[in-house]
């Protein structure tokens, strides 16, 4: 694994995407930064982080996906990698808030953004961005956010944590390559935040309704049981959970 450490960058994902244009860049190359000025979340949202306190990383994954239809398989493998690595160091009550926010109890401690590109030869290159709140303790105006330091009452070594997460990613991706995606899907669905619990939701029109999360389907869409006993399917940004 090649590790590139940066003091400051606009976006580790953008930096690594540019680097990935060089075909000699090795698989699982990791870029980290102490400060990221233009951190990105899902669908253009931003990711803010206190300088030097958190784990900001992007990792290059190539020669893994053989077909564009497998992209969500990678998403679940990466999400499971993070929560498994965190479980192994004693972080409690970990779940995945669809599609890939990392939660401890009701607090968000991390987020994942995977950006995929398809080369003219059909090769799929993925850049996985992870922002994980590690040693930050001030979350003023962010009532739903927390960090490992707040939860575990101790500071953690960010680099050791990085290596643990990357090793777990390799293990989960190995399972994908060995046709164990069904097992990963089951683990992912079992790990969904608020699964099986009646929860209020809101759509982009501001309309509120109650529903119960059932699972995520093969296309990455959230399946929710509505009050009329029908199942509705939602894509990213088509629904917001109110919790």
């Amino acid at each position: 694994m090649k590790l590139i450490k940066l003091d400051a960058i606009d976006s580790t994902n953008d930096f690594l995407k540019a680097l990935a244009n060089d075909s000699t860049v090795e698989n699982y190359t990791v870029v980290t930064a102490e400060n990221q000025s233009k951190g990105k979340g899902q669908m253009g949202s931003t990711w803010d982080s206190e300088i030097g306190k958190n784990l900001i990383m992007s990792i290059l994954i190539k020669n893994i996906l053989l077909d564009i239809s497998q992209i969500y398989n990678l998403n679940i493998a990466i999400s499971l990698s993070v929560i498994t690595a965190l479980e192994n160091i004693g972080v409690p009550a970990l779940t995945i808030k669809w599609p890939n926010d990392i939660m401890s109890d009701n607090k968000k401690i991390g987020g994942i953004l995977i950006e995929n590109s398809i080369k003219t030869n059909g090769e799929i290159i993925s850049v996985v961005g992870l922002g994980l709140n590690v040693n930050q303790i001030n979350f003023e105006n962010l009532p739903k956010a927390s960090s490992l330091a707040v939860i575990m009452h101790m500071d953690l070594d960010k680099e050791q944590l990085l290596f643990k997460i990357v090793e777990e990613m390799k293990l989960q991706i190995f399972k994908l390559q060995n046709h164990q995606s069904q097992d990963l899907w089951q683990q992912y669905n079992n790990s969904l935040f608020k699964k099986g619990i009646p929860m209020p939701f809101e759509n982009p029109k501001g309309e509120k309704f109650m529903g119960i999360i059932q699972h995520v389907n093969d296309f990455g869409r959230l399946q929710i049981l509505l009050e009329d006993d029908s199942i509705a399917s939602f894509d990213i940004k088509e629904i917001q959970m109110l919790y």
Side-chain angles (χ1 to χ4, degrees):
M1 183 191 91
K2 181 177 182 181
L3 177 59
I4 301 171
K5 298 181 181 180
L6 305 172
D7 287 330
I9 192 68
D10 52 356
S11 162
T12 56
N13 262 32
D14 289 347
F15 181 91
L16 188 51
K17 282 190 292 183
L19 202 63
N21 290 326
D22 182 347
S23 61
T24 64
V25 177
E26 64 185 69
N27 208 7
Y28 296 108
T29 292
V30 177
V31 176
T32 66
E34 293 300 306
N35 182 33
Q36 182 174 240
S37 61
K38 296 180 181 178
K40 294 182 289 185
Q42 290 288 347
M43 301 293 287
S45 60
T46 59
W47 176 270
D48 294 321
S49 175
E50 189 175 329
I51 296 173
K53 295 290 188 178
N54 301 321
L55 181 57
I56 300 168
M57 62 178 280
S58 295
I59 180 167
L60 178 66
I61 296 177
K62 58 182 182 178
N63 306 320
I64 302 298
L65 299 178
L66 302 177
D67 187 274
I68 196 71
S69 65
Q70 298 177 334
I71 280 178
Y72 210 83
N73 285 353
L74 180 62
N75 182 86
I76 63 170
I78 297 301
S79 300
L80 289 172
S81 301
V82 178
I83 66 167
T84 301
L86 296 180
E87 283 172 349
N88 290 341
I89 63 169
V91 182
L94 288 159
T95 54
I96 301 164
K97 182 173 173 286
W98 174 83
N100 44 25
D101 282 344
I102 307 302
M103 310 290 291
S104 178
D105 283 323
N106 283 328
K107 299 290 188 177
K108 179 177 175 177
I109 57 173
I112 298 165
L113 176 67
I114 303 177
E115 297 183 278
N116 304 286
S117 61
I118 305 174
K119 301 301 183 184
T120 53
N121 62 0
E123 179 187 13
I124 300 173
I125 293 179
S126 303
V127 171
V128 176
L130 169 64
L132 186 65
N133 295 332
V134 180
N135 293 323
Q136 181 172 336
I137 58 173
N138 179 19
F139 292 95
E140 188 177 355
N141 301 320
L142 294 170
K144 294 181 181 179
S146 189
S147 70
L148 302 184
V150 171
I151 293 164
M152 302 181 73
H153 309 290
M154 59 184 288
D155 280 356
L156 287 93
D157 186 310
K158 293 185 298 176
E159 188 163 305
Q160 284 187 8
L161 188 55
L162 181 152
F163 286 122
K164 290 178 186 294
I165 290 171
V166 173
E167 285 307 307
E168 195 61 46
M169 285 183 185
K170 291 179 179 179
L171 288 173
Q172 299 291 347
I173 288 171
F174 178 80
K175 292 178 184 178
L176 274 187
Q177 293 176 303
N178 284 271
H179 311 291
Q180 297 179 49
S181 60
Q182 289 280 52
D183 292 340
L184 296 182
W185 270 100
Q186 184 173 353
Q187 291 177 47
Y188 177 84
N189 277 311
N190 288 343
S191 301
L192 288 174
F193 180 66
K194 301 297 185 183
K195 179 183 178 183
I197 301 171
M199 293 295 295
F201 295 89
E202 185 177 22
N203 65 24
K205 297 178 181 179
E207 299 166 339
K208 296 179 175 62
F209 60 94
M210 294 295 295
I212 302 175
I213 291 175
Q214 304 296 291
H215 66 279
V216 175
N217 69 15
D218 292 349
F219 303 102
R221 294 174 65 87
L222 188 66
Q223 309 296 292
I224 295 181
L225 176 66
L226 302 179
E227 292 180 281
D228 63 1
D229 288 333
S230 66
I231 300 288
S233 179
F234 297 93
D235 210 338
I236 298 171
K237 297 297 183 183
E238 288 183 350
I239 189 174
Q240 178 183 4
M241 181 190 295
L242 306 176
Y243 68 98

